Amino acid sequence: MKNKDRRVGFMTYYFMVGGLIGLLVSFLRLRHPGDDSWFWFTLITQTVLFSLFFYVGYLFLNKENQRASELGIVIQLLQLVTFAAWGWSYYFAGGIGLAFTYGLETQSVELIAGVSEFELELIPKRTPKQFGLNVFALIILTILLRIRKTYR
């Protein structure tokens, strides 16, 4: 029982703090707004994702553990994969991000670490292709699956 409460407590703080940091980052992007529609699209997408991230923590805080874990699982799935290929670049980390990427052309491994980041960009097609896995998102996903199973 006590271990279950610690997991839920950790998830409450993890999601709330990570969401707040992400919303702060979104707000700070407004200091240098772009004048194109892509800037506004990515800003709105980022703000929605970090708001949902915070909302999961709020649900955990209000003991709605089943709903919180289900929404948290969806958000973690959006964070699992990062890539730069086919003219696109995508990276989303709510809370802690710790991703290992592999460059297909360079055959090198990189570590991307950060807190509450979002990137969705059009990139030149000649940019080397990279694919990665957010290991920390995988760990959080595992914990959420256990919480979901417990509160079924």
Side-chain angles (χ1 to χ4, degrees), residues 1 3 6 8 15 28-31 39 47 55 60 67 78 84 86 107 116-117 123 126 132 144-145 152:
M1 183 73 169
N3 191 27
R6 270 191 275 168
V8 170
F15 278 96
L28 291 175
R29 278 188 68 194
L30 286 172
R31 292 185 353 188
F39 170 83
T47 303
Y55 183 62
F60 274 125
R67 282 182 52 200
L78 290 171
W86 308 294
Q107 297 188 356
S116 294
E117 296 181 60
I123 58 171
R126 64 183 177 277
L144 288 170
L145 288 169
R152 256 191 183 164

Side-chain angles (χ1 to χ4, degrees), residues 44-151:
I44 290 168
T45 303
Q46 174 179 340
T47 303
V48 167
L49 287 172
F50 287 124
S51 296
L52 287 172
F53 203 85
F54 178 82
Y55 183 62
V56 170
Y58 176 79
L59 289 173
F60 274 125
L61 184 66
N62 288 311
K63 306 296 183 210
E64 296 182 46
N65 299 330
Q66 180 69 25
R67 282 182 52 200
S69 61
E70 289 172 356
L71 183 56
I73 288 167
V74 171
I75 291 174
Q76 292 309 117
L77 289 173
L78 290 171
Q79 296 179 63
L80 276 181
V81 176
T82 181
F83 68 89
W86 308 294
W88 291 92
S89 173
Y90 173 77
Y91 177 68
F92 170 47
I96 297 170
L98 186 64
F100 289 97
T101 62
Y102 179 74
L104 295 179
E105 283 105 18
T106 60
Q107 297 188 356
S108 62
V109 176
E110 285 184 34
L111 173 66
I112 301 172
V115 177
S116 294
E117 296 181 60
F118 178 78
E119 176 187 308
L120 178 62
E121 295 181 5
L122 291 169
I123 58 171
K125 296 220 185 253
R126 64 183 177 277
T127 301
K129 291 177 178 60
Q130 285 186 322
F131 294 93
L133 178 68
N134 185 340
V135 179
F136 201 81
L138 187 60
I139 293 167
I140 297 296
L141 179 63
T142 304
I143 295 169
L144 288 170
L145 288 169
R146 288 183 183 157
I147 290 171
R148 182 174 165 249
K149 184 178 177 183
T150 302
Y151 287 99

